[in-house]
Each structure stands twice: as C-alpha cells, then as structure tokens.
Amino acid sequence: DAGVIQSPRHEVTEMGQEVTLRCKPISGHNSLFWYRQTMMRGLELLIYFNNNVPIDDSGMPEDRFSAKMPNASFSTLKIQPSEPRDSAVYFCASSWGISSNTEAFFGQGTRLTVV
Amino acid sequence: GENVEQHPSTLSVQEGDSAVIKCTYSDSASNYFPWYKQELGKRPQLIIDIRSNVGEKKDQRIAVTLNKTAKHFSLHITETQPEDSAVYFCAAIRPGNQFYFGTGTSLTVIP
C-alpha cells in the first residue's frame, strides 16, 4: 500500500480564493482525520470521519471550512474563501478500529500559503 | 473532547544524555497512548505506544510509562543521538478513535 496520499503537496493561493485539499486513506481503514499544523497551535484536529460519516467537526475553525468523505477512499477539505491566517500544513491521517484503537498513519501533508 | 497537555515545549540535551517528555490527559476513558516523532519537513510517525492495561513499555532506547490514576504518561529516550532531534507528539485516544495530540516537544540533541 502506498500509504495515505494527499494532494497537492504545496498550494499557493490568493486571499479570497477557494482551496480544495484531497486525501486518499489507506485501503481498509475506517477512520479518517484532518489536522492543521502551525507553530503556535501544534497539531489541531479539525474533523474526524468514521465509516465515511463525520463524527466530530468541533475543531473546524469557521464556516469557511468544510470537509466531505463521499466514499471510503476519498476525502476533501475545502476552504472558501481562504484567508492569510489559514496558511499552515494540513495533514490527513487514517486508521482502523473503533473499540480497539490502532496507529494513525499520516499523509505527507499539504503546505498551504494564502497571500 | 480530550485535553492533552505536553511539557516541555522545547528540550535540549547533550548527546548521550537522557530526555524525558511528559503528558497529561483529562478523559479517564482514554485507553491508548501513542507517541509520534516528526522530523523537519516530514509527516508524524509512530515510534511507540502503550495501552491502558500496561504500565510501562520499552523498545531499545525509548520507553513509555503510564499512570492511569494520575492521568499522565511519559516518553523516555536514553543515550540520545543527534538523529533523535525532532518534534515529539503524545496523544490520548478514547474509544471511538478520536486522536487528540499534545502541542509537541521540540527536542534538540547537541553533538
């Protein structure tokens, strides 16, 4: 398995534009997480899906952020409109298990710069 | 959700010395405690984990301890080497698999 795959690796966009980040989890995993990493806040959990259903989106900062998981092999995180303070590295991670927790595998991340 | 606190935020040690990173958590239902290492510009990767039915676990130079009563757990690295320099994250996982991470510890090993 190629692991968790994120695209793009780098994104530079102008303030006000829509940004879509993509993630393909490891096949067979039933949990998917989106994180935002900044120097100030570390790894923030934005949203968590289990079996394609959003379970906890309390970490999503504002209505400008939305995430979907239309099937077990694909998820998107969208920011519309983007702002400079959204600049960060966004990680997607996946794992397997509900009652018995297991390792979360991270993708390479998307470095987003909003100018 | 779970509240995970991690200390210190930065740590510098001489090569060969030991490093200790401590975390506390708030939710007594958490039962899985992994530690991740993130090298500069790379993704976080699991280095060791411990479950709530175990008090201590060791893997070569790294070890983790867990005190469920006090709700704290620690990472111990012995005989540190320059390649141990990285950011380390602890996490406390509740049933349902929500991964809440600490704020990270930037470890620098000075040759």
Side-chain angles (χ1 to χ4, degrees), chain A residues 39-98:
Chain A
M39 288 292 291
M40 292 296 293
R41 296 175 178 266
L43 273 169
E44 296 176 274
L45 177 62
L46 300 178
I47 188 168
Y48 157 56
F49 291 89
N50 183 258
N51 292 325
N52 312 337
V53 176
I55 303 300
D56 182 0
D57 64 355
S58 60
M60 296 287 264
E62 349 179 342
D63 292 345
R64 297 185 298 106
F65 286 70
S66 63
K68 293 182 180 180
M69 192 165 186
N71 56 62
S73 59
F74 184 64
S75 176
T76 59
L77 178 67
K78 186 176 292 187
I79 308 172
Q80 166 64 19
S82 58
E83 297 182 4
R85 59 195 170 114
D86 301 331
S87 298
V89 179
Y90 291 81
F91 284 103
C92 174
S94 72
S95 72
W96 183 89
I98 299 177

Side-chain angles (χ1 to χ4, degrees), chain A residues 4 31 33 35 37 42-43 45 48 56 91 95-99 101-104 106-108, chain B residues 31-32 36 38 41-46 51 89 93-103:
Chain A
V4 177
S31 296
F33 313 87
Y35 290 92
Q37 185 174 32
L43 273 169
L45 177 62
Y48 157 56
D56 182 0
F91 284 103
S95 72
W96 183 89
I98 299 177
S99 59
N101 298 307
T102 60
E103 176 182 358
F106 283 78
Q108 294 273 40
Chain B
N31 61 4
Y32 175 56
Y36 283 75
Q38 185 180 26
K42 297 189 177 180
R43 75 186 88 185
Q45 291 190 293
L46 180 76
R51 298 187 184 274
F89 293 95
I93 319 304
R94 300 187 297 176
N97 221 22
Q98 289 162 282
F99 275 67
Y100 292 98
F101 285 90
T103 49

Side-chain angles (χ1 to χ4, degrees), chain A residues 9-43:
Chain A
R9 291 291 308 279
H10 302 273
E11 176 81 26
V12 180
T13 191
E14 291 185 346
M15 182 175 63
Q17 296 297 306
E18 177 180 296
V19 175
T20 300
L21 311 182
R22 297 173 176 80
C23 176
K24 181 180 186 305
I26 292 174
S27 177
H29 281 187
N30 62 355
S31 296
L32 184 139
F33 313 87
W34 281 101
Y35 290 92
R36 178 172 66 179
Q37 185 174 32
T38 61
M39 288 292 291
M40 292 296 293
R41 296 175 178 266
L43 273 169

